[in-house]
Amino acid sequence: MEKENIYLVGFGWASIGFLHTIDTSKYKVSIISTNDHFLYTPLLAQNVVYDRDLTINSSLLNHKCSFIKQKVSDVDFNKNSLKCGNKEYAYNYVVFSHGSDVNTFNIPGVQENTYFLKNNQDYKKIREKLLTLPNNAKIAVIGCGLTGAELVGSINDMKKYNVIAIDALSRPLITFNEKLSYYATELWKKNNVDIHLNSMVKQINKNTIDIKDKESVKFDIAIWCGGIKTNPLSYIVNNKLNLSNPRGIPVNKYLRVDNTNVFAIGDCAVTGYPPTAQVAYQQGKYLANAFNQNFNTSPFVFSNKGQVGYIGDNESVYQNKYFSGSGRMIGALNAAIHLYNYGKIYILSKL
């Protein structure tokens, strides 16, 4: 009896969770993505300084699954087929896991005058640009969520540039508690970071950032960490299925789109959970288990293991629902967590 096939669209954290768990003796699994490698994104901001290899090639991740290096351009849900250029792929099940895009909020000049930090090519461009700049060059980081805060801390560690932190909100690391946000702010102040909070960007010019009701800020390089938005493929999926949600593909508590053979996981799915690697990975594992058990499973529930972020000077902040902490001991914990997680991804993929 021929195995039913599953097409997994995208190759990020949700896909990795799925690939680690899916029973390939029961299903034929194919991945469609323009990236033929998995990128360990939690260390991407620090990699602007350290330049470590954070990728694992698809051929090393799961040799029992096939990989198609293409981009899904359209979907025919009546025919159960995915279109990639001139080719079509018929599926029994499709799992959308293609993530999200960078959100510029339509602010003039962001696209033209800033660097993004979303993938391997982005960090290399930033790193190469930094290496061409003189001492005391002005490095502006716009958006001080987790990625932005790690960039501020990592670049400031170089002790070479004048780092500028800009955010429209009243504090950095808004997903952490106020005590940890304050700790990060005080550490940055001690290390001479130029901090601009409650500063809404109006426009970004070639070398200046215009801020509403405040003076403009000069820069030599600006890095945009302002958030995420819905990927164009998610709009195509929603339009074809008569769904309407500006944040992505709406799914039920089983990560299924209505009662179809279509599923969505990770940042492209609207689930009520934050768009983090931790959520995506757990969703991937849950959905693979659901396939393995013929969908005889309970609804997906996110198990929050806490969040950790590097803020500079070998210090990090960490919190879960029971505990929060900061400092160099947490910095060592941060490093150990990433070493463990990266190693786990690689080892599980080889099994």
Side-chain angles (χ1 to χ4, degrees), residues 78-119:
N78 294 318
K79 292 171 56 180
N80 286 346
S81 69
L82 301 168
K83 186 173 183 181
C84 302
N86 295 323
K87 292 187 177 182
E88 288 193 15
Y89 300 92
Y91 62 81
N92 297 116
Y93 300 97
V94 59
V95 178
F96 290 104
S97 179
H98 50 270
S100 57
D101 282 358
V102 176
N103 196 346
T104 67
F105 299 97
N106 296 317
I107 296 173
V110 172
Q111 193 78 41
E112 300 84 358
N113 298 314
T114 69
Y115 289 81
F116 297 153
L117 186 59
K118 188 79 172 170
N119 55 44

Side-chain angles (χ1 to χ4, degrees), residues 36 53 90 117 125 187 215 222 248 288:
D36 60 0
D53 185 8
L117 186 59
K125 289 178 184 177
L187 179 69
E215 290 186 8

Side-chain angles (χ1 to χ4, degrees), residues 240-280:
K240 291 295 183 70
L241 294 175
N242 295 316
L243 303 172
S244 179
N245 195 302
R247 295 184 292 119
I249 303 170
V251 295
N252 64 19
K253 56 189 177 181
Y254 299 95
L255 306 181
R256 187 192 291 262
V257 179
D258 291 332
N259 292 313
T260 66
N261 53 350
V262 180
F263 300 83
I265 52 178
D267 289 4
C268 70
V270 180
T271 63
Y273 293 110
T276 66
Q278 186 181 168
V279 170

Side-chain angles (χ1 to χ4, degrees), residues 141 144 147-157 163-165 188 193 311:
V141 177
C144 295
T147 299
E150 293 197 320
L151 266 176
V152 170
S154 298
I155 296 174
N156 205 52
D157 281 351
V163 179
I164 307 164
W188 292 351
V193 174
I311 56 174

Side-chain angles (χ1 to χ4, degrees), residues 169-187 197 307 311 317-320 323-326:
L169 301 176
S170 60
R171 60 185 178 93
L173 294 167
I174 197 66
T175 59
F176 289 74
N177 63 48
E178 290 189 15
K179 181 180 178 181
L180 294 180
S181 292
Y182 176 79
Y183 186 91
T185 303
E186 291 303 302
L187 179 69
L197 300 174
Q307 54 182 340
I311 56 174
V317 292
Y318 173 82
Q319 74 174 28
N320 59 31
F323 166 82
S324 67
S326 56

Side-chain angles (χ1 to χ4, degrees), residues 30 139 171 203 231 272 299 325 336 344:
S30 301
I139 316 299
R171 60 185 178 93
Q203 180 170 318
N231 184 286
K344 182 178 72 172

Side-chain angles (χ1 to χ4, degrees), residues 207-221:
N207 291 112
T208 58
I209 300 166
D210 295 339
I211 297 174
K212 185 178 180 181
D213 300 326
K214 294 185 179 181
E215 290 186 8
S216 296
V217 175
K218 295 181 179 180
F219 67 88
D220 293 292
I221 174 176

